[in-house]
Amino acid sequence: AQSVAQPEDQVNVAEGNPLTVKCTYSVSGNPYLFWYVQYPNRGLQFLLKYITGDNLVKGSYGFEAEFNKSQTSFHLKKPSALVSDSALYFCAVRDTGTYKYIFGTGTRLKVLA
Amino acid sequence: ETGVTQTPRHLVMGMTNKKSLKCEQHLGHNAMYWYKQSAKKPLELMFVYNFKEQTENNSVPSRFSPECPNSSHLFLHLHTLQPEDSALYLCASSQGASGEGSYNEQFFGPGTRLTVL
């Protein structure tokens, strides 16, 4: 069955430290992978995506993510966290076999000053 | 702003009421989506429209009825809802929903916070 897992409900990190938000997936075909961010009282905003090619993808606001096919993972990273990065982060996958669009449960990132 | 607007932003309704949610996109996209967002749950895709045609209905109860009169507008008509339907309802759009367009990211509106009493 197709699924996306974000194993951590919340991640806390000190400002200036590197951050990682984890995502693993399971699909029947090749995955198209996405990260979105949601600030309070707002809809989701697109951060970055992996379709094909280089496994390291760079996106908005200094975020990047690495596609790892063998581990079926697509973790979101940033070298130096900002307090303003505090938000809810969603991983999503588009299964090219079924075209189903599946979101994870979200990970709340809290960056402490 | 993302170019996708939703009205109203907040809605409180009784179980016997009929109401509608409205979504409009100003991005020239041809695919539109309705999602339900509840706390501690994955985002639930409800309906997908591609070029005004409904292409997906993910086992949504008939008390939710979508309407897409053109590629820029999407409605969700609500009637005889249950308290468990209380959630944030998000509209999104993208350039294409199938085939080569399936790798395009979605643009979301701010959502309608629905409370069913």
Side-chain angles (χ1 to χ4, degrees), chain A residues 9 32 34 36 38 41-46 49 51 88 90 94 96 98-106, chain B residues 1-2 9 33 35 37 40-43 45 56 58 88 90 97-99 102-106 108-110:
Chain A
D9 286 342
Y32 293 152
F34 303 79
Y36 291 84
Q38 186 177 32
N41 301 313
R42 304 285 293 275
L44 279 67
Q45 295 177 35
F46 169 74
K49 66 182 176 184
I51 304 301
L88 189 57
F90 289 92
R94 194 73 185 260
T96 56
T98 65
Y99 295 121
K100 289 286 185 185
Y101 212 110
I102 306 157
F103 281 81
T105 50
Chain B
E1 297 303 322
T2 63
R9 293 293 307 274
Y33 311 77
Y35 286 91
Q37 184 178 19
K40 304 291 185 184
K41 287 186 174 182
L43 212 60
L45 178 63
E56 235 173 289
N58 284 319
L88 182 67
L90 293 166
S98 63
S102 63
Y103 55 73
N104 290 318
E105 60 272 23
Q106 297 181 6
F108 285 80

Side-chain angles (χ1 to χ4, degrees), chain A residues 18-70:
Chain A
L19 69 87
T20 299
V21 182
K22 295 179 181 177
C23 172
T24 58
Y25 65 89
S26 173
V27 297
S28 59
N30 291 320
Y32 293 152
L33 293 154
F34 303 79
W35 275 102
Y36 291 84
V37 60
Q38 186 177 32
Y39 297 100
N41 301 313
R42 304 285 293 275
L44 279 67
Q45 295 177 35
F46 169 74
L47 277 180
L48 51 79
K49 66 182 176 184
Y50 171 82
I51 304 301
T52 187
D54 195 347
N55 289 344
L56 184 64
V57 178
K58 294 189 184 295
S60 306
Y61 314 120
F63 283 93
E64 58 187 30
E66 186 165 13
F67 171 61
N68 188 316
K69 187 172 183 178
S70 62

Side-chain angles (χ1 to χ4, degrees), chain B residues 34 47 49 54 57 64-68 74-77:
Chain B
W34 278 117
F47 302 104
Y49 278 83
Q54 189 178 120
N57 176 341
F64 295 91
S65 175
E67 179 190 0
C68 187
L74 185 64
F75 295 89
L76 188 62
H77 304 299

